[in-house]
Amino acid sequence: MRALILASAALLAACSAEPDAPATKPSGALQPVSITLPAETAALPATPAGELVTQRCTACHSADMIARQPPLTAEKWQATVTKMREAYHAPITPADEPAIVAALVTLQGAPPPR
Ligand code: HEC
């Protein structure tokens, strides 16, 4: 028992021995890390359709994510837009949906984002 207590004391002492140890030592403590994300440069076209979709969809998605969806029919886009509104609370009213769906279909013919 005495040996165990001594060993524990030695471990505790080791833990607090070097409070300013360099971060490269594997101390077991979590270290803050900072990362720099690349700026998003892709944008939807500066047309009424592009601006409407940017306004209604890019709070949660990148422009790239919207633009790179496979070509969808108006019915499929309608289902997606309704799902965004109902399931994910996108800031869209049912009355907005026809214009947004039309804009999404229009954008499919546009060149990929810059
Ligand atoms: C309030 C946030 C929010 C807004 C605004 C939003 N979405 Fe989403 N969207 C989500 C979430 C959350 C998912 C699910 C992501 C996952 O499952 O990984 C998603 C998924 C998707 C998907 C993937 C397929 C699917 O059905 O899950 C598509 C396509 C999509 N959104 C398109 C749109 C379009 C187009 C708009 C604009 C009309 C839009 N979203 C607006 C939150 C949002």
Side-chain angles (χ1 to χ4, degrees):
M1 187 59 177
R2 174 178 290 253
L4 184 63
I5 291 170
L6 284 177
S8 305
L11 273 175
L12 282 175
C15 284
S16 58
E18 292 179 64
D20 296 325
T24 49
K25 275 195 179 172
S27 64
L30 296 176
Q31 301 293 329
V33 172
S34 98
I35 58 167
T36 307
L37 295 172
E40 190 188 352
T41 51
L44 292 165
T47 58
E51 277 160 17
L52 181 62
V53 172
T54 297
Q55 187 194 355
R56 297 312 176 98
C57 309
T58 58
C60 303
H61 301 294
S62 68
D64 226 30
M65 183 276 192
I66 302 292
R68 296 192 189 283
Q69 293 301 311
L72 298 176
T73 61
E75 289 72 30
K76 297 273 188 199
W77 275 124
Q78 177 66 62
T80 298
V81 173
T82 303
K83 176 179 167 185
M84 295 304 121
R85 179 174 57 77
E86 291 182 346
Y88 302 132
H89 302 284
I92 297 168
T93 66
D96 297 332
E97 290 188 8
I100 296 170
V101 169
L104 287 162
V105 171
T106 302
L107 288 176
Q108 291 181 151
R114 300 177 292 273

